Amino acid sequence: MNAQTCLKKLQYVGVLSFATVSPDGTPQIRCISAIHYETDALYFFTARGKGFCKELLRDGRVQILAYTRYNEMIRVSAKAIPVPRADQKKWIDVIFEEQPYLANVYPNDTREIGIVFSIRDMEIEYFNLAVHPIFRENYIVGNRRIKQKGYEITNRCIGCGTCAENCPQNCIKAGKPYQIMQEHCLHCGSCYEHCPVQAVMQKD
Amino acid sequence: MNAQTCLKKLQYVGVLSFATVSPDGTPQIRCISAIHYETDALYFFTARGKGFCKELLRDGRVQILAYTRYNEMIRVSAKAIPVPRADQKKWIDVIFEEQPYLANVYPNDTREIGIVFSIRDMEIEYFNLAVHPIFRENYIVGNRRIKQKGYEITNRCIGCGTCAENCPQNCIKAGKPYQIMQEHCLHCGSCYEHCPVQAVMQKD
């Protein structure tokens, strides 16, 4: 698995969930399918009057989610930026060319209420729940750092093995210290709760 | 369409997108399918160690999204509340009974890392993009107010008809003032931008 394959999968799923935050801190989510894909960027269309557009202009942070038919969750964390004004028409036309249904929603010149945002710097999380143990991996496109999440076992570990016994995915290896196989970790917190000496550290 | 039918549709879609907000204000989104449905409430399972759980305990605001095969978007705005500690085991067992795949993710007693949240007071937005003009409607379950969104034409209207000419969905009727048919409105903002006398008001 890699970033490019994840982006191909997003394109195949078609209708993605986009989450933003409203000014009063409430989570906001909607479906977006008016998306154009390049190998290293996404371009998507919305209308200037929508709360979605205003949230993006105020704070471009967005998380995008796709769930594939193979029980894979693909999540993109990014900052969306409006394309330069001089390029807006070009990208609107590209997206409308690729997505014929848009002509029913915004016929003729009404597409001019639209605005296109681009995403170039993103963290992509891939999470496959169909395999056992589950498999997860992160990738970076462009200029962004991976956000550390989940748990890690520190040198306070006394090697009792309680974490490994209680791990739902059997993804903790014996060692000094015991070690979580991060690619199989649910981030459930069971090891963290069960450790008798608080040797498990939260990464975020 | 009504609230109960929307909840049935959520159940049929199965895997829903849940959006929350992290402590630093970043939107967070994930797939949830470990959900039990009652006629007037939802119960869903997550693990105590996940960022999702912590975000809900810190601030229960959540938005849930489903996209059906009939091109309907159903969005639920709610506050999620953990079920009482004494009832946690019961609801975990109900959800595991209904969702056999969970036994692969959390086998045997590892389900004890779980926590169930309930949602009883919710606003449900139904948005059908497959019809022309598009159709949207809101419903309330329990104790919650509908959040006003979109646009309204005020008495500053001079009856020039510019809004109606530019509406992508032809959903503005002539009158004193002109009137937006809210059930067909995209919230695109075209009327707002085109009105020569700023007679169109944003509701939110």
Side-chain angles (χ1 to χ4, degrees):
Chain A
M1 189 49 53
N2 56 39
Q4 299 313 322
T5 306
C6 285
L7 291 176
K8 281 285 174 199
K9 286 176 181 281
L10 290 188
Q11 188 169 4
Y12 191 73
V13 168
V15 180
L16 309 183
S17 302
F18 276 58
T20 50
V21 185
S22 66
D24 73 350
T26 311
Q28 302 291 317
I29 189 170
R30 76 283 299 161
C31 293
I32 301 289
S33 54
I35 305 169
H36 168 74
Y37 293 83
E38 307 258 311
T39 48
D40 58 353
L42 304 177
Y43 294 80
F44 63 93
F45 168 97
T46 185
R48 286 191 294 277
K50 291 193 185 249
F52 180 46
C53 174
K54 295 166 196 175
E55 285 146 20
L56 290 175
L57 291 174
R58 181 183 146 273
D59 180 335
R61 283 178 292 179
V62 65
Q63 253 201 10
I64 304 166
L65 187 67
Y67 189 73
T68 74
R69 63 170 69 182
Y70 305 110
N71 306 113
E72 303 156 304
M73 190 183 84
I74 299 168
R75 177 165 52 202
V76 176
S77 301
K79 198 150 181 155
I81 300 181
V83 304
R85 185 178 290 253
D87 298 337
Q88 282 285 342
K89 181 180 189 317
K90 162 188 145 187
W91 288 110
I92 289 175
D93 290 346
V94 163
I95 290 171
F96 271 64
E97 178 77 27
E98 293 180 354
Q99 304 275 350
Y101 83 91
L102 282 172
N104 291 329
V105 188
Y106 296 97
N108 307 319
D109 288 345
T110 65
R111 70 175 65 176
E112 287 166 6
I113 195 60
I115 175 170
V116 175
F117 289 82
S118 72
I119 286 175
R120 299 197 152 273
D121 304 313
M122 51 184 120
E123 175 182 355
I124 303 175
E125 296 174 78
Y126 174 86
F127 189 73
N128 189 336
L129 260 184
V131 294
H132 194 82
I134 62 94
F135 174 75
R136 73 192 305 160
E137 204 164 60
N138 292 7
Y139 318 100
I140 292 288
V141 175
N143 185 19
R144 195 169 171 110
R145 275 182 324 182
I146 284 182
K147 183 175 174 186
Q148 295 300 321
K149 297 199 316 186
Y151 297 87
E152 207 161 87
I153 302 172
T154 68
N155 287 325
R156 290 176 66 145
C157 174
I158 58 171
C160 67
T162 306
C163 54
E165 284 162 28
N166 286 282
C167 174
Q169 293 291 299
N170 283 324
C171 76
I172 302 181
K173 291 187 299 194
K176 285 182 170 45
Y178 269 51
Q179 196 170 9
I180 295 166
M181 289 182 274
Q182 297 289 346
E183 70 276 24
H184 299 306
C185 181
L186 289 169
H187 299 179
C188 72
S190 193
C191 51
Y192 177 83
E193 286 196 8
H194 279 97
C195 178
V197 299
Q198 290 92 52
V200 183
M201 178 190 81
Q202 260 180 257
K203 289 200 270 183
D204 57 342
Chain B
M1 190 49 54
N2 56 40
Q4 299 312 322
T5 306
C6 286
L7 291 176
K8 281 284 174 200
K9 285 177 181 282
L10 289 188
Q11 188 170 6
Y12 192 72
V13 168
V15 181
L16 310 182
S17 302
F18 276 59
T20 51
V21 185
S22 67
D24 73 350
T26 310
Q28 303 291 318
I29 189 170
R30 76 282 299 161
C31 293
I32 301 290
S33 54
I35 305 168
H36 168 73
Y37 292 83
E38 307 257 313
T39 47
D40 58 352
L42 304 176
Y43 294 80
F44 62 94
F45 168 98
T46 184
R48 287 190 293 276
K50 290 195 186 248
F52 179 46
C53 174
K54 295 166 196 176
E55 286 146 20
L56 290 175
L57 291 173
R58 183 184 144 272
D59 180 337
R61 283 178 293 180
V62 66
Q63 254 201 8
I64 304 166
L65 187 66
Y67 190 72
T68 75
R69 65 170 67 183
Y70 305 110
N71 306 114
E72 304 155 303
M73 190 182 85
I74 299 169
R75 178 165 50 203
V76 176
S77 301
K79 199 152 182 153
I81 300 180
V83 304
R85 186 177 289 254
D87 298 337
Q88 283 285 341
K89 181 181 190 313
K90 162 187 145 189
W91 287 111
I92 290 175
D93 290 346
V94 163
I95 291 170
F96 271 64
E97 178 77 26
E98 293 180 352
Q99 304 276 350
Y101 82 92
L102 282 171
N104 290 330
V105 188
Y106 296 97
N108 308 319
D109 289 345
T110 64
R111 69 174 66 177
E112 287 167 5
I113 196 58
I115 177 171
V116 175
F117 289 82
S118 72
I119 286 175
R120 300 196 152 272
D121 303 314
M122 51 185 121
E123 175 183 354
I124 302 175
E125 296 174 77
Y126 173 86
F127 189 72
N128 190 336
L129 260 184
V131 295
H132 193 82
I134 62 95
F135 173 75
R136 74 192 305 160
E137 203 163 61
N138 291 7
Y139 317 102
I140 292 289
V141 176
N143 185 19
R144 195 167 169 109
R145 275 183 325 183
I146 285 181
K147 182 174 174 186
Q148 295 299 321
K149 295 199 318 186
Y151 297 87
E152 207 161 88
I153 302 171
T154 68
N155 287 325
R156 289 176 68 143
C157 173
I158 58 170
C160 68
T162 305
C163 55
E165 284 162 28
N166 286 282
C167 175
Q169 293 290 299
N170 282 325
C171 77
I172 302 181
K173 291 188 300 195
K176 283 182 167 55
Y178 269 50
Q179 194 169 11
I180 295 167
M181 289 181 276
Q182 297 290 346
E183 69 276 24
H184 299 307
C185 181
L186 289 170
H187 299 179
C188 72
S190 193
C191 52
Y192 177 83
E193 285 197 10
H194 279 96
C195 178
V197 299
Q198 290 88 54
V200 183
M201 179 190 82
Q202 261 179 257
K203 290 201 270 184
D204 58 341

